[in-house]
Amino acid sequence: MERRTFVRSLGAVGSLGAVAAGANATLTASSTVTGTVEAKSITGRGGDESHTVLAHEGTLTIDDAEYRDEFSDWQDVTVDTALARQFEADYEDIYYNLHINHETANEEQNVATDESLAYRTDRMVFNSVQVSDAVQFKTTGADVPRINALE
């Protein structure tokens, strides 16, 4: 095969690969999920320790005694800037999670209607909703499901 013909055929194969990759990305684009916040949790991890604040309907569980006075009501679990800084000083990793009961399926994570899944999110999204709130969002994250923004 002539060198020019070979180089052109490589370009054509590369273009087909790019089109296939683009089509695959379109097929796996995030889907919109609607549901209800079933629970909210914050997990702080440092070394071998892990502590959780968990708010569920009617209950509030706080593992780390140092933070028990920071939260008093399962219906109002938010983290202001000062508390966020304290978490960051005490733990290597802080995870804000919304546990969602699905009204629509999340096909990317294989979650059916009426099933629940915990999604990681940032502090701003975490603070914007409470247990029992209805939410709608696009899913992100392959290994760890995330909510980047509510719709």
Side-chain angles (χ1 to χ4, degrees):
M1 176 182 284
E2 189 177 288
R3 179 177 162 85
R4 262 190 207 163
T5 306
F6 178 72
V7 169
R8 269 190 246 149
S9 65
L10 282 177
V13 169
S15 296
L16 285 174
V19 168
N24 190 33
T26 301
L27 292 175
T28 61
S30 63
S31 59
T32 299
V33 173
T34 57
T36 303
V37 178
E38 184 175 67
K40 294 174 67 171
S41 65
I42 306 164
T43 303
R45 295 181 192 228
D48 292 337
E49 290 189 29
S50 178
H51 294 280
T52 301
V53 174
L54 175 64
H56 194 274
E57 190 168 337
T59 64
L60 179 61
T61 305
I62 303 168
D63 289 345
D64 190 338
E66 183 175 337
Y67 291 102
R68 291 210 175 110
D69 292 337
E70 299 294 336
F71 304 97
S72 60
D73 185 0
W74 67 270
Q75 292 177 311
D76 184 23
V77 174
T78 57
V79 177
D80 63 20
T81 303
L83 183 56
R85 285 188 185 132
Q86 189 175 348
F87 281 151
E88 290 165 5
D90 289 347
Y91 297 109
E92 293 170 21
D93 297 303
I94 302 294
Y95 302 114
Y96 297 94
N97 307 291
L98 296 176
H99 305 251
I100 306 297
N101 183 284
H102 291 71
E103 293 169 13
T104 58
N106 176 346
E107 295 175 7
E108 290 175 33
Q109 301 294 330
N110 295 318
V111 181
T113 301
D114 291 327
E115 289 184 359
S116 296
L117 182 65
Y119 292 86
R120 280 205 191 137
T121 192
D122 64 24
R123 185 172 59 91
M124 298 299 284
V125 171
F126 180 87
N127 284 343
S128 71
V129 296
Q130 294 303 327
V131 174
S132 301
D133 284 356
V135 292
Q136 183 171 331
F137 56 93
K138 290 197 183 292
T139 61
T140 61
D143 296 333
V144 176
R146 290 193 53 82
I147 298 173
N148 289 331
L150 298 171
E151 297 181 349

